[in-house]
Amino acid sequence: MNIIKISTAGSVDDGKSTLIGRLLFDTNSLSKDKIENIESISRQRGLEETDLSLITDGLTAEREQGITIDVAHIYFNTLKRKYIIADTPGHVEYTRNMITGASNSQVFLILIDARKGIIEQTKRHLFIASLIDIKNIVFVINKMDLVGFDEQVYLNILKDIEQLVDKFELSDKKLIHIPVSAKLGDNVVKKSNNIKWYSGPGLLEYLESLEVGPSLNNNLRFNVQYVIRPHSDEFHDYRGYSGKITSGSIKLGDEIKVLSSGQKSKVKTINKHKDNFLSAVAGQSVTIELEDEIDISRGDILVKVEDGVQGERSINSTICWLDKEALIPQKKYLLQYGSSIIPVKVSEVKSQLDFETLKFETNPDIVNVNSINEVNLKSASPIFLDRYKDNNSNGYFILVDEGSNNTVAVGFKS
Amino acid sequence: MDYLDQLEDEAIYIMREVAAQFDKPVLLFSGGKDSITLVHLAIKAFYPAKVPFPLMHVDTGHNFPETIQFRDELVSKYGLNLHIEYVQDAIDANLVQEESGKYASRNALQTVSLLNGIEKHGFNACIGGARRDEEKARAKERIFSVRDDFGQWNAKNQRPELFDLLNGRINQGENVRAFPISNWTELDVWNYIKREEIALPSVYFAHNRKVFLRDGLIWSDSAFINKSDDEEVIEKIVRFRTVGDMTCTAAVESYASDIDAVIGEIIAAEISERGARIDDKRSEAAMEKRKEVGYF
């Protein structure tokens, strides 16, 4: 069994929460007390049917208003895999929460209301999917029951999607479109009797068939998170470097180089607790010992001697601004990536994305919350990031405001 | 990679971020299976060095005796450092008032002792065993969840958490609650406990117990619970799915006396884990309300 992480996107009332509720309900993932709870609330509100969206909208304010404010993480299992779904808000003002969900997922479900077709928000979602480089995108054409399960409505929306998709760099992505009714359960877990003209897989069937896993083609990037020095009798001289392998793989005897010092050594042991490994791959949290005693601390990156990354003091990137306070030019922010935190300045805001044209062509006066911008960052010390498109695991960062401590932006090196 | 390895690697990563980003972390230990799992993960994360932070237990005085005995054995076995905060002390100091009546419980009172303990020791990060699958308000929790200097959680203004980057920067007086097993479900925890052969307090397994019935739930007979005359004490074979205060944790009828049987039972269960938590039944948003004022 493996884990697949999914996030949802869609506008308000497109039925994201209902879709997830349906997935849980039809896979028998809901306990009796939870079903009774939402049935009773639905009755109190005078609804004719049980409102499945109540399963995921857990905050009082959400239930009052019938909208999703913050990401809820939902879990269910099939025999094949464990599903983690980030149910994210649809309101424009909660775009930052949507990016939070999307950045941790391998599959992006974009919901479209069959009555409305593609709207402004759909473009925004698709842009974010392309920015984050999510490999699997599912367009869920929901509420087919409200358009009489009409094939022509579905085909018209597909045509619009195709035109829209052409505007993005999505060539290596897996794209699929599924007509569903989350409310009635058509093509979610069960195949639809109402949509006989559709021969593709239902949503769960598709998710079950997806191959996911870390890309092992990338070069080794190992961020040293924590240095382990037991100073005990038994492990008196032990010096272990703990961290998660960000990308690539490492094996015993590999010649490695430490960034930024440039010192070299060889891998002596790779372990997790009392388990010793011959090799380890991306995603694994391990502790590494080296043959030589060299000075390494948190924030250093281990790479293979032959495939290191160049440190740069000036990097171009695309950032999505997440904070209510606008970007202040000339203000110092902290750039956090891997285990490193480096002070930077946004030296230049080159352009801002126009969500109408989906092009970076405006020259912004202000970098506001939810805007996406091309910028240049300058730092006092080298930043060892790959281009995000080259290595999704070592090409992203966040900016933190030293005053408020807020995470104010997420960035992708270009 | 197997899913349990994935979950373990993610949890260890989070543990190490806490230890690296904060100078005064603490692991909140309740004696329940989730916090016992956390201790196991912490030992793994820093091996062969010792766990670089202490444990803190908020002792309501109404615990299962089996849990307290287990706690003390665990601490001594692994050479852990344990702080205990007693709710009784807060009651004696008039900081909180003991509830009265049929449903009196010290569960809600724990928050004050927890916040006192945090303040007294200057802890700025509290590692907790909360899981997002437990309860709808918990499903909204970030892995690093910032609490203000009154311990309050503001659900509407949480920091976005991008990729695996955890921003632990806080101001003096604030603290971060960190949840390494956020993405685990009850069943994941049990499967992991089985795989890793982690020992648990005996109350998790079927045993004969003096109990009484109230509101369709099985309550453990105890001097801490105000029973009325018509509530008759009987004996039943039961176990506990979740272990909190005796006044707020109901038992389930069960013959599951080992891990395999427990796992089988959870897979077949029709009621969720928190379905036997009396504290969640107080109102529709009971957990959210408790979290807003500082409950972990």
Side-chain angles (χ1 to χ4, degrees):
Chain A
M1 192 157 85
N2 60 14
I3 299 176
I4 188 166
K5 295 187 177 179
I6 297 166
S7 70
T8 60
S11 190
V12 186
D13 288 335
D14 281 347
K16 294 183 298 297
S17 300
T18 307
L19 179 75
I20 294 170
R22 174 58 65 188
L23 272 171
L24 294 173
F25 195 82
D26 283 358
T27 52
N28 298 319
S29 307
L30 286 172
S31 59
K32 213 166 92 185
D33 54 317
K34 285 190 178 155
I35 295 172
E36 281 168 4
N37 174 273
I38 58 165
E39 278 174 350
S40 124
I41 298 168
S42 300
R43 268 197 310 274
Q44 279 169 31
R45 293 187 178 171
L47 302 175
E48 280 174 23
E49 289 162 61
T50 302
D51 181 357
L52 291 173
S53 75
L54 291 167
I55 294 162
T56 58
D57 287 341
L59 300 172
T60 314
E62 294 178 322
R63 290 186 167 203
E64 279 167 7
Q65 298 171 46
I67 58 161
T68 307
I69 291 172
D70 205 343
V71 183
H73 288 85
I74 313 294
Y75 303 82
F76 73 96
N77 277 21
T78 61
L79 289 175
K80 178 144 190 218
R81 51 184 34 148
K82 173 183 165 86
Y83 287 87
I84 303 180
I85 306 180
D87 180 29
T88 66
H91 272 96
V92 178
E93 63 260 41
Y94 297 120
T95 300
R96 63 189 203 135
N97 294 338
M98 198 188 75
I99 292 181
T100 294
S103 72
N104 280 308
S105 61
Q106 297 142 320
V107 185
F108 204 43
L109 302 184
I110 300 181
L111 269 88
I112 292 171
D113 184 333
R115 295 168 304 173
K116 297 178 189 159
I118 284 180
I119 56 170
E120 185 72 18
Q121 273 291 76
T122 317
K123 293 186 199 168
R124 194 180 285 254
H125 298 323
L126 201 55
F127 186 87
I128 286 164
S130 107
L131 185 68
I132 296 182
D133 205 20
I134 293 180
K135 301 287 186 277
N136 304 288
I137 299 171
V138 184
F139 290 95
V140 179
I141 322 297
N142 191 23
K143 306 200 180 184
M144 287 303 294
D145 53 312
L146 297 182
V147 294
F149 300 103
D150 186 348
E151 184 178 12
Q152 199 50 51
V153 173
Y154 175 71
L155 292 175
N156 290 343
I157 293 173
L158 288 203
K159 214 182 290 163
D160 292 344
I161 291 175
E162 270 161 31
Q163 279 179 8
L164 183 62
V165 163
D166 282 345
K167 298 184 182 175
F168 296 94
E169 286 176 48
L170 296 165
S171 55
D172 62 337
K173 307 285 184 294
K174 288 184 197 135
L175 295 174
I176 183 168
H177 324 84
I178 306 175
V180 312
S181 164
K183 192 173 154 199
L184 303 180
D186 293 80
N187 283 342
V188 180
V189 173
K190 296 170 189 161
K191 272 292 183 60
S192 171
N193 284 326
N194 296 313
I195 312 177
K196 291 216 162 61
W197 42 262
Y198 171 77
S199 58
L203 178 59
L204 185 66
E205 186 185 348
Y206 174 73
L207 295 173
E208 290 275 275
S209 71
L210 270 180
E211 294 290 333
V212 290
S215 160
L216 300 179
N217 301 328
N218 289 321
N219 297 334
L220 172 71
R221 302 287 180 259
F222 180 83
N223 287 288
V224 177
Q225 251 188 305
Y226 195 88
V227 181
I228 294 192
R229 298 292 315 268
H231 298 295
S232 60
D233 291 343
E234 193 187 347
F235 296 98
H236 190 76
D237 294 322
Y238 184 95
R239 194 194 284 250
Y241 305 103
S242 289
K244 184 170 74 174
I245 299 177
T246 309
S247 69
S249 62
I250 192 166
K251 61 179 193 306
L252 294 186
D254 275 349
E255 266 198 276
I256 59 96
K257 184 167 74 179
V258 183
L259 302 175
S260 59
S261 73
Q263 295 175 96
K264 290 173 189 169
S265 187
K266 275 187 181 164
V267 178
K268 188 165 92 180
T269 70
I270 304 168
N271 73 74
K272 182 162 76 171
H273 193 219
K274 292 174 183 168
D275 295 329
N276 286 297
F277 304 130
L278 297 174
S279 64
V281 298
Q284 283 186 277
S285 283
V286 294
T287 300
I288 290 168
E289 279 181 288
L290 299 175
E291 288 193 348
D292 308 281
E293 282 201 7
I294 48 181
D295 178 25
I296 300 176
S297 52
R298 176 173 166 89
D300 284 332
I301 304 169
L302 306 187
V303 298
K304 287 185 185 164
V305 169
E306 66 276 11
D307 58 19
V309 53
Q310 289 298 316
E312 292 170 77
R313 286 191 174 83
S314 165
I315 62 170
N316 288 319
S317 62
T318 307
I319 62 168
C320 178
W321 197 256
L322 309 169
D323 201 51
K324 285 175 195 132
E325 301 291 321
L327 168 79
I328 300 172
Q330 298 314 309
K331 179 170 169 166
K332 203 175 73 190
Y333 292 95
L334 299 175
L335 183 148
Q336 183 178 341
Y337 77 102
S339 313
S340 308
I341 293 178
I342 294 171
V344 297
K345 270 183 184 172
V346 180
S347 57
E348 188 191 354
V349 182
K350 295 176 176 166
S351 61
Q352 194 163 70
L353 183 79
D354 181 336
F355 275 102
E356 286 289 325
T357 61
L358 300 168
K359 291 202 167 87
F360 286 96
E361 51 192 7
T362 50
N363 200 359
D365 301 327
I366 186 163
V367 171
N368 256 333
V369 64
N370 296 322
S371 69
I372 297 173
N373 308 270
E374 290 183 325
V375 301
N376 181 268
L377 299 166
K378 287 231 164 15
S379 71
S381 48
I383 297 172
F384 294 92
L385 279 169
D386 291 285
R387 287 178 66 225
Y388 185 74
K389 295 280 176 199
D390 295 340
N391 185 347
N392 285 178
S393 306
N394 187 51
Y396 56 82
F397 58 86
I398 54 173
L399 296 181
V400 176
D401 184 318
E402 266 188 300
S404 67
N405 294 324
N406 285 341
T407 301
V408 294
V410 57
F412 305 86
K413 192 186 167 200
S414 41
Chain B
M1 220 192 310
D2 182 67
Y3 82 107
L4 286 178
D5 288 321
Q6 272 179 270
L7 292 174
E8 180 185 75
D9 285 328
E10 184 179 283
I12 287 175
Y13 168 80
I14 295 163
M15 289 269 183
R16 289 171 175 163
E17 278 306 288
V18 176
Q21 291 196 33
F22 298 90
D23 56 347
K24 290 280 274 181
V26 66
L27 189 152
L28 301 178
F29 185 80
S30 70
K33 63 180 187 315
D34 298 316
S35 57
I36 292 168
T37 299
L38 283 186
V39 170
H40 182 83
L41 289 163
I43 290 167
K44 277 198 156 186
F46 302 102
Y47 178 88
K50 286 197 167 177
V51 175
F53 39 76
L55 274 50
M56 180 163 74
H57 181 216
V58 177
D59 189 336
T60 60
H62 292 175
N63 297 288
F64 292 92
E66 296 94 326
T67 313
I68 299 299
Q69 189 194 339
F70 182 92
R71 175 195 75 191
D72 295 340
E73 284 168 10
L74 184 77
V75 163
S76 111
K77 184 178 172 190
Y78 292 105
L80 303 165
N81 182 0
L82 172 72
H83 297 294
I84 305 173
E85 246 351 271
Y86 294 96
V87 170
Q88 187 64 50
D89 291 347
I91 295 170
D92 294 345
N94 277 326
L95 296 174
V96 289
Q97 196 170 359
E98 186 106 68
E99 293 180 354
S100 60
K102 191 175 167 185
Y103 293 95
S105 164
R106 287 183 169 183
N107 189 53
L109 309 186
Q110 288 182 79
T111 302
V112 171
S113 300
L114 169 66
L115 298 179
N116 276 348
I118 291 171
E119 199 173 330
K120 188 163 78 191
H121 299 286
F123 294 132
N124 49 11
C126 304
I127 301 167
R131 306 188 325 265
R132 287 166 175 159
D133 80 314
E134 278 179 84
E135 208 277 341
K136 56 190 181 299
R138 286 247 160 102
K140 299 280 176 178
E141 189 87 71
R142 296 283 194 265
I143 289 173
F144 270 19
S145 175
V146 180
R147 306 299 171 93
D148 69 12
D149 51 357
F150 288 94
Q152 297 180 101
W153 181 57
N154 183 352
K156 283 192 184 175
N157 191 27
Q158 301 193 77
R159 276 182 194 164
E161 242 162 36
L162 291 310
F163 301 96
D164 53 357
L165 296 173
L166 299 167
N167 170 9
R169 289 183 67 88
I170 48 171
N171 291 317
Q172 198 72 31
E174 294 176 338
N175 74 79
V176 159
R177 307 287 169 87
F179 302 113
I181 59 168
S182 280
N183 283 330
W184 301 37
T185 62
E186 181 190 18
L187 192 57
D188 296 334
V189 171
W190 278 104
N191 281 327
Y192 186 71
I193 286 169
K194 180 186 169 183
R195 189 185 85 168
E196 301 286 306
E197 299 177 339
I198 300 171
L200 290 183
S202 56
V203 291
Y204 278 109
F205 302 100
H207 58 286
N208 197 20
R209 194 170 198 97
K210 286 188 173 148
V211 296
F212 68 95
L213 303 179
R214 181 191 284 177
D215 304 337
L217 296 171
I218 305 168
W219 296 53
S220 187
D221 181 38
S222 132
F224 311 129
I225 301 172
N226 300 325
K227 281 196 302 290
S228 51
D229 292 342
D230 59 343
E231 289 176 321
E232 186 197 349
V233 174
I234 49 173
E235 288 201 7
K236 268 189 186 296
I237 308 283
V238 297
R239 70 174 203 91
F240 292 86
R241 254 174 108 174
T242 149
V243 173
D245 198 290
M246 283 183 92
T247 59
C248 69
T249 317
V252 289
E253 265 188 277
S254 166
Y255 290 97
S257 55
D258 61 29
I259 292 224
D260 288 319
V262 167
I263 289 172
E265 204 177 87
I266 292 165
I267 291 171
E270 289 191 325
I271 301 292
S272 75
E273 185 184 15
R274 304 279 316 181
R277 284 303 282 251
I278 295 146
D279 40 341
D280 287 351
K281 295 199 181 296
R282 290 194 166 190
S283 80
E284 173 57 30
M287 173 75 86
E288 183 184 347
K289 293 273 177 289
R290 288 203 303 275
K291 276 159 57 64
E292 277 172 2
V293 296
Y295 189 81
F296 110 99

